[in-house]
Amino acid sequence: MFVFFLSIVHLTLSQDPTASLIFSDCKHLILPPLCQCYHSGDQSQLRCHNIQLESIPKLPNNMRWNALDFSVNHIKSIDSYVFSDIYVEKLNLKLNHLQTVDTTAFNQIKNVKQLYIDHNTLKEFDPKTLTSPGVSLEIFDISHNPLEYLDLGETFLQLTVLQEFYAVSCQLNNTSLFTLSKLTQRHDYVKIIDLSYNNLTSLCNNLFNNFYNLIEIRLNNNNIHLIDHSFIRSLEYIRNLNLAFNSIEYVPNLYSSSLENLNLSSNNIQYLNDYFGSHLRSIRIIDFDSNKYLSSVSPRSLCFINILTLKKLSFRFTNIVLLNAFSELLCRLVDNNNRESILDLNHNTNLKCDCMLVQFEKYLINYFDLSCIQQGQDRYFISKRTNEFSYCTRDFCQNRKRENLCDWTNAEQLMLEGTCQGKLNEKENSTKNETTFINITTITLNVSDIIIQNSTVLYNQTLKSFALSIKTVDYICFFVSLSLLYIRHSIGIFIK
Ligand SMILES: *[C@@H]1O[C@H](CO)[C@@H](O)[C@H](O)[C@H]1NC(C)=O
Ligand SMILES: *[C@@H]1O[C@H](CO)[C@@H](O)[C@H](O)[C@H]1NC(C)=O
Ligand SMILES: *[C@@H]1O[C@H](CO)[C@@H](O)[C@H](O)[C@H]1NC(C)=O
Ligand SMILES: *[C@@H]1O[C@H](CO)[C@@H](O)[C@H](O)[C@H]1NC(C)=O
Ligand SMILES: *[C@@H]1O[C@H](CO)[C@@H](O)[C@H](O)[C@H]1NC(C)=O
Ligand SMILES: *[C@@H]1O[C@H](CO)[C@@H](O)[C@H](O)[C@H]1NC(C)=O
Ligand SMILES: *[C@@H]1O[C@H](CO)[C@@H](O)[C@H](O)[C@H]1NC(C)=O
Ligand SMILES: *[C@@H]1O[C@H](CO)[C@@H](O)[C@H](O)[C@H]1NC(C)=O
Ligand SMILES: *[C@@H]1O[C@H](CO)[C@@H](O)[C@H](O)[C@H]1NC(C)=O
């Protein structure tokens, strides 16, 4: 146990009578052993980094610290009032052995704006700990703690000016997420929410709707499989949504006029449905990489996607067989005289060599690395087989049947549906049957519109498996919604 005797060297008092008794220069202080003080301008930092501290040393209370760094030590708890009268903007306790944070730990702390308690061993954290008026966090990082449960709603209620929130890898499940439903007012400052590497399973009930100014949501590496179409609909400034490494089978038709980067890589997506991209008006990059069963893309899936903003559609390591499903998009690029390559089809082991690949060469990213199969199993770099494709005509877009493929009315209707059926706010409709989904499939698979006959077989196959998987999703949704109702009901009682 370390014991620190601290005292403040008497300072020559400032001549300025208006100066308060708060000092910002740490040079004259006697500091805990092994801690170092850095002073520049009117900013002082105390660094007690990696010095085997077992507890937080007592600090002089008339100092104005810019940062206190206690990272990489063996501190086990943050005790009551330990920061009493300490003025500090950035408090770093990451990579310690924290097991408890007393609910009065930050009482009478002054002006703390950034708190890092990530990489500890906290099993619980009470958001009431953040109630103190001296706590006005803009950044809060509680990542890498085995919490299992965190009242996220209460945390945001306490932190009214929070901008960045990180709870990465805390084993949170959707019970924690559901606490966001207690938020009823706008939380205008929040810009980033990072809940990646948790155990979340569903993104229903528009739980993020009160974060009007959110720019980025990181939800990668969870087990998410249910998502509302309206998930980010009311977020006017959302730019980045990361849903990589989840269990998404059915891609929601997201609605956003601001979203730029949508990451759906490493999920279980098999099918890309009609009008998937129709309401992504500012989209730049969509990443579908490593959805290894993604074999079928509706020819309407990219209808109305904004080609003026689109920079990259990535389908690496998927199971795309033919390019024709992208023809609606590709021909729009041709019409628009677009010069950039946007579609990445590399590492699709069943991609067939055909004339379309050659015709749309300039829109394919890394065309020179693109390989395809011909006559069964032989793989070729298509760029090296120019002779064989010399017979290919390049008038695909002129010849195809173009009218009637994309229908805005249908695109709008699809917006009403999501994978979270029977949402809380539609109690009476929560037992919705499958009719809506079947309708979607019939629209999707209007075979008469499929452009190249050879692909019809593909669509026919997916029709069956798609319908099946949708059925399952619907039943799951039904049960999830029932339990949601129950939970909501109990919470209601609890509040009363
Ligand atoms: C979610 O986590 C809480 C807290 O650990 C636990 O009580 C609950 O059973 C978990 N729910 C699910 C669906 O795993
Ligand atoms: C969360 O998920 C991980 C990996 O899927 C699993 O090992 C862990 O047991 C889960 N934790 C809880 C609390 O469900
Ligand atoms: C998508 O997310 C994965 C995992 O987080 C990452 O490796 C990949 O680079 C991301 N894709 C894009 C386009 O940012
Ligand atoms: C249920 O659905 C019908 C028609 O789809 C709609 O008119 C009604 O308002 C819905 N009920 C609720 C409670 O949302
Ligand atoms: C589904 O519900 C609609 C009305 O919402 C009803 O007309 C139809 O018969 C139902 N279908 C099945 C298979 O239950
Ligand atoms: C499907 O094709 C048929 C025949 O061409 C057409 O009458 C119908 O309107 C199409 N349906 C949709 C939703 O496009
Ligand atoms: C379909 O593919 C076969 C060989 O796989 C080819 O002989 C036939 O001409 C193709 N049909 C069309 C309409 O492209
Ligand atoms: C699609 O499947 C239906 C029955 O499932 C069959 O009648 C039809 O001929 C198939 N179409 C093609 C192009 O294989
Ligand atoms: C959370 O997900 C689990 C498993 O998917 C489900 O059983 C539970 O009802 C969900 N709870 C909430 C509040 O969404």
Side-chain angles (χ1 to χ4, degrees):
M1 185 71 174
F2 286 65
V3 181
F4 298 106
F5 296 97
L6 287 175
S7 65
I8 306 157
V9 173
H10 287 278
L11 294 167
T12 43
L13 275 172
S14 166
Q15 302 302 316
D16 181 355
T18 61
S20 72
L21 278 173
I22 293 174
F23 302 106
S24 62
D25 185 349
C26 56
K27 279 188 298 226
H28 306 288
L29 298 176
I30 292 178
L31 300 166
L34 302 174
C35 291
Q36 286 171 309
C37 148
Y38 295 82
H39 181 80
S40 86
D42 57 354
Q43 308 240 304
S44 279
Q45 297 190 12
L46 182 68
R47 281 191 213 163
C48 310
H49 167 86
N50 197 6
I51 54 168
Q52 313 216 327
L53 279 180
E54 303 220 335
S55 60
I56 296 168
K58 186 82 189 85
L59 298 162
N61 62 8
N62 53 353
M63 262 299 298
R64 181 182 287 264
W65 298 104
N66 178 243
L68 290 173
D69 180 359
F70 299 112
S71 61
V72 196
N73 283 296
H74 306 310
I75 299 169
K76 290 198 183 62
S77 63
I78 312 181
D79 300 328
S80 262
Y81 294 93
V82 70
F83 294 109
S84 185
D85 287 327
I86 306 289
Y87 185 107
V88 56
E89 288 187 12
K90 178 177 170 183
L91 183 54
N92 184 351
L93 282 148
K94 71 165 65 184
L95 288 155
N96 273 284
H97 299 165
L98 289 179
Q99 284 167 8
T100 53
V101 180
D102 204 285
T103 43
T104 47
F106 301 114
N107 275 26
Q108 295 178 14
I109 197 171
K110 309 282 185 214
N111 197 48
V112 61
K113 295 201 164 101
Q114 300 180 21
L115 177 61
Y116 302 89
I117 50 172
D118 52 299
H119 293 89
N120 278 290
T121 52
L122 294 172
K123 289 210 168 111
E124 51 185 23
F125 181 82
D126 183 351
K128 293 267 177 357
T129 309
L130 306 167
T131 310
S132 165
V135 177
S136 46
L137 296 186
E138 291 165 2
I139 301 176
F140 180 38
D141 191 344
I142 192 171
S143 300
H144 298 276
N145 280 289
L147 293 170
E148 294 189 20
Y149 174 77
L150 177 62
D151 191 335
L152 296 168
E154 192 61 37
T155 306
F156 284 104
L157 283 176
Q158 295 299 334
L159 302 174
T160 51
V161 294
L162 193 67
Q163 292 171 23
E164 298 177 25
F165 175 71
Y166 303 91
V168 178
S169 191
C170 293
Q171 299 182 29
L172 305 179
N173 62 30
N174 52 348
T175 308
S176 297
L177 196 62
F178 198 66
T179 61
L180 289 177
S181 59
K182 69 173 75 164
L183 301 181
T184 51
Q185 292 180 350
R186 294 172 68 112
H187 288 259
D188 285 336
Y189 294 92
V190 183
K191 300 272 191 282
I192 295 180
I193 293 180
D194 191 343
L195 291 168
S196 54
Y197 295 87
N198 281 292
N199 293 33
L200 308 180
T201 52
S202 53
L203 301 172
C204 305
N205 310 299
N206 301 316
L207 294 171
F208 290 84
N209 270 11
N210 286 302
F211 302 109
Y212 285 86
N213 294 322
L214 206 50
I215 289 173
E216 177 160 0
I217 314 181
R218 298 180 197 154
L219 291 162
N220 49 291
N221 300 81
N222 278 283
N223 294 316
I224 295 163
H225 57 103
L226 303 177
I227 305 177
D228 260 331
H229 280 317
S230 51
F231 171 45
I232 53 170
R233 192 169 183 163
S234 72
L235 308 179
E236 285 175 39
Y237 303 98
I238 186 79
R239 286 210 294 267
N240 304 314
L241 174 58
N242 194 342
L243 288 166
F245 291 94
N246 276 293
S247 316
I248 299 166
E249 287 180 30
Y250 179 84
V251 185
N253 292 36
L254 293 176
Y255 189 113
S256 174
S257 53
S258 60
L259 192 70
E260 293 179 3
N261 299 303
L262 174 58
N263 196 332
L264 287 163
S265 63
S266 301
N267 276 284
N268 299 328
I269 300 166
Q270 295 176 24
Y271 185 87
L272 207 49
N273 55 310
D274 277 10
Y275 304 110
F276 150 76
S278 295
H279 295 266
L280 299 174
R281 296 196 198 126
S282 304
I283 197 73
R284 289 171 56 83
I285 299 173
I286 307 179
D287 188 344
F288 285 107
D289 289 0
S290 303
N291 280 282
K292 54 182 180 222
Y293 305 113
L294 176 45
S295 56
S296 174
V297 175
S298 152
R300 291 196 190 84
S301 61
L302 300 166
C303 280
F304 307 111
I305 202 166
N306 188 350
I307 54 168
L308 300 177
T309 57
L310 190 63
K311 290 282 173 280
K312 185 174 178 183
L313 271 177
S314 196
F315 287 85
R316 294 164 70 86
F317 298 98
T318 61
N319 195 24
I320 303 288
V321 177
L322 290 166
L323 191 57
N324 64 288
F326 299 98
S327 59
E328 184 276 326
L329 173 74
L330 292 167
C331 291
R332 262 199 295 152
L333 293 172
V334 171
D335 290 350
N336 199 50
N337 204 14
N338 195 308
R339 282 167 214 286
E340 286 173 86
S341 43
I342 58 148
L343 187 60
D344 195 337
L345 287 176
N346 282 276
H347 303 284
N348 278 276
T349 46
N350 292 316
L351 187 67
K352 284 206 173 114
C353 298
D354 79 2
C355 284
M356 278 189 76
L357 290 173
V358 180
Q359 159 143 23
F360 294 107
E361 167 185 343
K362 72 173 171 176
Y363 299 119
L364 299 177
I365 293 173
N366 290 335
Y367 182 76
F368 291 98
D369 295 336
L370 192 65
S371 61
C372 53
I373 52 171
Q374 205 174 6
Q375 292 147 6
Q377 293 306 307
D378 297 335
R379 289 196 74 78
Y380 301 99
F381 285 109
I382 188 161
S383 56
K384 301 216 170 112
R385 314 286 291 187
T386 40
N387 286 345
E388 276 158 62
F389 293 102
S390 56
Y391 71 90
C392 290
T393 57
R394 297 188 173 233
D395 49 8
F396 178 85
C397 292
Q398 279 107 57
N399 294 343
R400 79 189 176 119
K401 176 185 162 199
R402 293 168 86 162
E403 47 297 329
N404 294 335
L405 182 62
C406 298
D407 178 337
W408 183 245
T409 317
N410 285 341
E412 281 191 316
Q413 274 168 6
L414 281 177
M415 289 308 304
L416 303 173
E417 304 303 330
T419 49
C420 306
Q421 292 299 292
K423 284 164 285 195
L424 280 183
N425 46 5
E426 291 170 19
K427 281 185 195 178
E428 292 122 74
N429 290 352
S430 62
T431 50
K432 227 179 206 175
N433 59 31
E434 293 149 43
T435 351
T436 8
F437 276 126
I438 305 282
N439 282 346
I440 295 173
T441 48
T442 35
I443 295 170
T444 308
L445 302 161
N446 205 338
V447 177
S448 61
D449 274 339
I450 290 167
I451 295 154
I452 286 186
Q453 272 182 0
N454 269 352
S455 63
T456 45
V457 180
L458 188 65
Y459 286 107
N460 250 12
Q461 281 166 359
T462 23
L463 170 59
K464 287 169 202 149
S465 58
F466 182 58
L468 262 181
S469 68
I470 287 306
K471 233 178 190 172
T472 327
V473 166
D474 211 35
Y475 287 131
I476 294 171
C477 287
F478 174 61
F479 288 114
V480 166
S481 65
L482 270 187
S483 25
L484 282 179
L485 283 173
Y486 175 73
I487 286 168
R488 195 197 198 191
H489 193 233
S490 341
I491 289 175
I493 288 168
F494 181 68
I495 289 169
K496 277 170 206 155

